[in-house]
Amino acid sequence: MSAQGDCEFLVKRARELVPQDPYAAKAWLITARTLYPADFNIQYEMYSIERNAERTASAGRLLYDIFVNFPEQPVVWREIAVITAVVSGLMPQNHEAVKSSEEQRKPRSKTRKGNDLRLVPCSSKSILPFCLQLMLACFKLRAFTDNRDDLALGHVVVLLQYDWPQGENLFLKAVDKICQQGSFQYENFFNYVTNIDMLEEFAYLRTTEGGRVQLELLPNQGMLIKHHTVTRGITKGVKEDFRLAMERQVSRCGENLLTVLHRFCINEKIILVQSLP
């Protein structure tokens, strides 16, 4: 039996088990997803079971994974459109009831604060920027506390690239914090930071005029330092690696920023979730 045939069999078997033993059906699909992690039908069937059982939390997580991994599937956008339509229907209509003269004379109370419900177009170009702004708002809470958190601070630097230079003041605040610390470690820097102004600022921090801040921005830089100490000297080796990495990064400044940030959200999903306050 082919891989496609195996997937179809596993999905069919899970559907048959749902009415009598939903836990067994879920076990079949978990096994199927482990064997075939790139199959859309298996993941969508898992989502459908959770949705139909009204387990909204798990259904939401599964729908998010499907959206990230299979954004080209029309059925995914139909699901999102249905959810958007339902949420839109919860919004109150813009009309006012007829008030009596006594009610009109009463002083109006202040509007009660509540949750903010914002509707955005169902497209990646609209949803991704909104998500980036939400993540930035969350990571700022951890990055600029008295406690040192280089990971959150690095996430802030990456996210501030969107809508640059509106976030320049916050970026300079991050640079000041790094200078006060005297060192900074963020090994994903060269994977996702392509803003030329930011690259120039970090290159300056390494100089004598910039304070000779110790920057660990290369993956496994601790191992590199150990290697250079043995072979050719720590100062010469690490400086050369940093210079070459900066030169390569400058050549990436023309990359599509939303593509870079989308890759950041997908590849670093686990770290991002763990870093949230």
Side-chain angles (χ1 to χ4, degrees):
M1 186 180 293
S2 64
Q4 184 64 32
D6 290 342
C7 294
E8 292 175 355
F9 168 76
L10 293 168
V11 170
K12 180 181 178 182
R13 180 59 178 154
R15 286 176 181 169
E16 294 172 349
L17 288 170
V18 169
Q20 56 197 42
D21 192 346
Y23 294 104
K26 191 172 183 179
W28 272 77
L29 289 173
I30 291 174
T31 303
R33 185 178 184 179
T34 303
L35 295 173
Y36 304 101
D39 187 83
F40 168 75
N41 292 326
I42 291 174
Q43 297 193 34
Y44 185 75
E45 190 65 27
M46 294 178 70
Y47 161 71
S48 299
I49 291 176
E50 297 300 297
R51 178 199 61 195
N52 295 338
E54 298 183 353
R55 290 188 283 266
T56 54
S58 56
R61 287 192 295 268
L62 289 167
L63 182 59
Y64 171 80
D65 289 340
I66 293 173
F67 172 74
V68 170
N69 297 320
F70 307 98
E72 75 285 352
Q73 291 288 341
V75 67
V76 176
W77 291 104
R78 284 200 296 270
E79 286 291 324
I80 295 175
V82 169
I83 295 172
T84 305
V86 171
V87 173
S88 300
L90 298 176
M91 296 294 290
Q93 299 296 321
N94 292 326
H95 66 83
E96 294 183 0
V98 178
K99 299 179 181 179
S100 65
S101 58
E102 292 183 0
E103 290 177 332
Q104 292 177 359
R105 287 195 296 268
K106 291 181 180 179
R108 293 184 178 180
S109 59
K110 294 183 178 180
T111 304
R112 186 177 63 181
K113 293 182 178 180
N115 294 328
D116 180 25
L117 176 62
R118 181 177 299 185
L119 302 180
V120 296
C122 190
S123 66
S124 58
K125 289 184 178 180
S126 299
I127 294 174
L128 180 59
F130 182 63
C131 293
L132 295 174
Q133 293 172 357
L134 288 179
M135 287 193 293
L136 177 59
C138 292
F139 289 126
K140 283 193 300 185
L141 299 176
R142 295 191 61 169
F144 296 104
T145 61
D146 294 334
N147 298 325
R148 176 168 175 167
D149 192 335
D150 284 7
L151 188 60
L153 194 59
H155 294 337
V156 167
V157 171
V158 172
L159 294 168
L160 282 174
Q161 295 178 105
Y162 176 73
D163 210 20
W164 183 266
Q166 275 69 20
E168 185 174 6
N169 290 335
L170 187 59
F171 171 70
L172 294 177
K173 182 179 178 181
V175 171
D176 288 340
K177 184 174 177 63
I178 292 172
C179 291
Q180 292 172 8
Q181 295 177 173
S183 63
F184 177 65
Q185 180 180 8
Y186 188 68
E187 295 186 353
N188 274 324
F189 182 89
F190 288 112
N191 290 332
Y192 306 112
V193 177
T194 60
N195 181 288
I196 186 63
D197 296 327
M198 292 183 175
L199 295 176
E200 290 179 352
E201 191 66 35
F202 273 90
Y204 177 73
L205 292 178
R206 295 267 304 190
T207 65
T208 303
E209 295 80 4
R212 299 182 66 86
V213 177
Q214 181 181 349
L215 300 176
E216 296 186 22
L217 307 180
L218 296 166
N220 303 317
Q221 187 164 332
M223 295 296 295
L224 290 173
I225 291 175
K226 182 178 180 181
H227 170 72
H228 292 313
T229 302
V230 174
T231 58
R232 51 178 173 155
I234 181 172
T235 304
K236 180 180 178 182
V238 174
K239 280 186 176 180
E240 181 67 13
D241 290 335
F242 184 84
R243 183 185 66 81
L244 292 174
M246 273 294 179
E247 289 180 357
R248 289 193 299 268
Q249 206 66 5
V250 169
S251 67
R252 295 182 54 200
C253 290
E255 289 187 17
N256 184 286
L257 181 58
L258 283 180
T259 301
V260 174
L261 295 177
H262 183 256
R263 188 164 62 244
F264 169 69
C265 295
I266 294 176
N267 294 348
E268 311 304 328
K269 179 175 68 173
I270 296 177
I271 295 178
L272 290 171
V273 172
Q274 292 175 346
S275 304
L276 289 172

